[in-house]
């Protein structure tokens, strides 16, 4: 798919080309319209702007998705870290209790 703007030397050539409007040329379907050069340039400019905006929107969505993925990873890492701290505290408390009980039993 794509667009092309063609300028003919004569109006007769342009009119002749319009006979192929909404037909297939080889393996391509063509949709033609007659316009001035200025109108063609304006249309091309508008299409370029729309393509750029669509690309920027797509990139913004990708960036947001990447940020969310990273945030979820950090949240997951933080949860794992907190769980690890809890386990360490329990183990340390458990060791301290065992040592204290052993010490009480020996004396």
């Amino acid at each position: 798919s794509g667009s092309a703007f063609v300028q003919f030397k004569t109006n007769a050539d342009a009119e002749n080309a319009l006979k192929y409007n909404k037909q297939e040329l080889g393996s391509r379907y063509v949709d033609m319209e007659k316009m001035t050069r200025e109108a063609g340039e304006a249309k091309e400019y508008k299409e370029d702007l729309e393509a750029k905006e669509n690309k920027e929107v797509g990139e913004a969505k990708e960036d947001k998705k990447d940020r969310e993925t990273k945030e979820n990873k950090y949240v997951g890492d933080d949860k794992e870290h907190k769980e690890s701290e809890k386990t360490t505290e329990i183990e340390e408390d458990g060791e301290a209790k065992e040592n204290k009980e052993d010490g009480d039993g020996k004396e």
Side-chain angles (χ1 to χ4, degrees):
S1 74
S3 297
F5 295 96
V6 180
Q7 184 175 359
F8 296 94
K9 288 185 179 186
T10 66
N11 281 336
D13 289 341
E15 292 298 326
N16 190 39
L18 287 172
K19 292 178 186 174
Y20 297 98
N21 187 33
K22 299 190 186 282
Q23 294 186 25
E24 287 194 21
L25 287 176
S27 62
R28 296 264 188 186
Y29 174 81
V30 293
D31 187 9
M32 297 184 214
E33 56 186 298
K34 191 175 182 180
M35 63 180 66
T36 64
R37 179 185 195 118
E38 291 80 18
E41 289 172 353
K43 184 175 183 178
E44 183 178 26
Y45 179 76
K46 181 181 175 188
E47 289 172 352
D48 287 347
L49 281 179
E50 289 172 354
K52 184 179 178 184
E53 288 172 1
N54 290 338
K55 181 180 177 188
E56 289 172 355
V57 167
E59 288 172 352
K61 287 180 181 179
E62 282 290 319
D63 289 346
K64 182 179 178 185
K65 186 177 178 181
D66 288 346
R67 282 193 310 274
E68 289 172 349
T69 301
K70 287 177 184 175
E71 288 171 3
N72 289 338
K73 182 186 180 311
Y74 294 137
V75 168
D77 289 348
D78 191 44
K79 286 180 181 176
E80 289 175 17
H81 179 72
K82 287 180 180 179
E83 289 298 319
S84 174
E85 284 180 346
K86 287 180 186 176
T87 304
T88 303
E89 288 174 13
I90 291 170
E91 288 173 359
E92 287 173 358
D93 289 346
E95 287 176 15
K97 269 186 171 179
E98 288 174 15
N99 289 340
K100 186 175 180 184
E101 288 173 6
D102 288 345
D104 288 341
K106 290 182 181 176
E107 291 179 20

